[in-house]
Amino acid sequence: MRVLVAGGTGAIGTPLVRQLIERGHVVTATTRHPERAEHLRRIGATVARMDGLDAASVGEAVARAEPEAVIHQMTSLSGKLDMRHFDRTFRTTNALRTTGTRHLLAAAQAAGVKRFLAQSYTGWPITRTGEGPSTEDEPFEPNLPRAQRETLAAIRVLELSVLGAPLAGIVLRYGSFYGAGVWDALVEMVRRRMLPVIGDGAGVWSWIHVDDAASATVAALEHGEAGVYNVVDDEPASAAEWIPYLAELAGAKRPMRVPVWLGRLLAGDVVVQMMTAMRGASNEKAKWVLDWRPHWASWRDGFRHALGATPTLVAPRDRVRRGGAAA
């Protein structure tokens, strides 16, 4: 299949392009950073320089690629995250979720694209009410901190735009990413004891290794039905579980515990809610509809691998998929 990956040098874009080429797809990968293009060329992708917020730039890139499918992985998350000013930190990413999605969908429809996949997120956007891990059918959380509301609105626009478009629209709600190059800042915070357990640490996180996120995206491209899919591992984990475990693996001192009032004073409402009230997600739909399984089914094993504590026994691309094909 001819595939255009918009955002081919991002956290998911890089492993995704590699896995698509290994599967035999013809890939055009876009980037705003020409200095990152050589790596994409070396692994067999055609590179197109594209600004996702410029309609003409998007239209030209899509028209030249003549893709059968488009995968929207455009974000702008370099630099330090300011959790007190969450929406400000995500301002450009949110523009890519709204304006960028509009440009990309318009160009895709003009080019006759049949399948359109887009990156979304599960975790804090999903309702905190309900028992157990959330499913794709549950609503967004209505009572978020003020600092996150613009970001939630942008996620909502992206999802509705993709699902409402006159093509096969697929939304992939990824969990929290970890793996080489994407979680270095988090690991450093843990090593410096800058990530305490707040309150009871009951906020539940769903994690996904970047290679597993990429393999789920390939599965959705090849035989996914239109709709929303949670792309997470099998084991949602509370902050009280994963923070001390990561600290141990990283060779750090045990994390501090602070009361909620102090956590709010030090880090703000967004962090407090993520650490005390967030809800994990179920991957059952992705596993059965997409015939996909995460290689790192537990974040515990994945964390060890990502920190170099254990060798890789089976590479993600060696997993057996439907019909005996390698992922």
Side-chain angles (χ1 to χ4, degrees), residues 25 39 52 61 63 113 136 175 217 231 272 287 290:
H25 298 289
H39 169 71
V113 169
E136 294 83 352
T217 307
V231 179
V272 168
K287 288 166 71 173
L290 304 181

Side-chain angles (χ1 to χ4, degrees), residues 32 50-58 74 92 94-101 103:
R32 292 179 297 133
M50 186 186 85
D51 179 353
L53 299 179
D54 183 327
S57 176
V58 173
M74 295 187 295
T92 302
N94 290 338
L96 290 167
R97 286 168 170 158
T98 54
T99 302
T101 300
H103 293 336

Side-chain angles (χ1 to χ4, degrees), residues 54-77:
D54 183 327
S57 176
V58 173
E60 181 179 359
V62 174
R64 286 181 178 274
E66 299 181 333
E68 298 164 86
V70 168
I71 305 178
H72 177 358
Q73 297 286 352
M74 295 187 295
T75 60
S76 181
L77 296 176

Side-chain angles (χ1 to χ4, degrees), residues 247 251 267 320 325:
V320 175

Side-chain angles (χ1 to χ4, degrees), residues 188-196 252-256:
E188 184 61 21
M189 286 179 66
V190 169
R191 285 179 171 147
R192 296 171 64 183
R193 297 191 84 196
M194 295 175 63
L195 191 67
K253 293 181 180 179
R254 191 164 183 82
M256 294 182 286

Side-chain angles (χ1 to χ4, degrees), residues 219-254:
L221 170 74
E222 293 181 345
H223 49 253
E225 301 172 359
V228 179
Y229 299 86
N230 291 334
V231 179
V232 297
D233 72 13
D234 294 351
E235 189 181 341
S238 70
E241 294 176 282
W242 71 260
I243 296 175
Y245 186 80
L246 180 55
E248 181 181 353
L249 291 179
K253 293 181 180 179
R254 191 164 183 82

Side-chain angles (χ1 to χ4, degrees), residues 96-180:
L96 290 167
R97 286 168 170 158
T98 54
T99 302
T101 300
R102 184 172 70 247
H103 293 336
L104 203 53
L105 277 170
Q109 292 172 55
V113 169
K114 303 300 183 185
R115 298 178 73 74
F116 190 104
L117 288 70
Q119 174 184 148
S120 187
Y121 180 69
T122 188
W124 62 262
I126 308 304
T127 179
R128 295 193 295 269
T129 61
E131 296 295 327
S134 65
T135 69
E136 294 83 352
D137 295 328
E138 295 183 57
F140 291 123
E141 171 57 42
N143 298 309
L144 289 172
R146 184 177 299 277
Q148 282 182 307
R149 293 175 188 173
E150 291 179 11
T151 301
L152 178 62
I155 290 172
R156 189 191 304 272
V157 167
L158 179 145
E159 294 198 0
L160 291 175
S161 298
V162 172
L163 297 175
L167 39 68
I170 295 174
V171 170
L172 299 167
R173 290 179 179 167
Y174 298 119
S176 296
F177 294 146
Y178 70 94

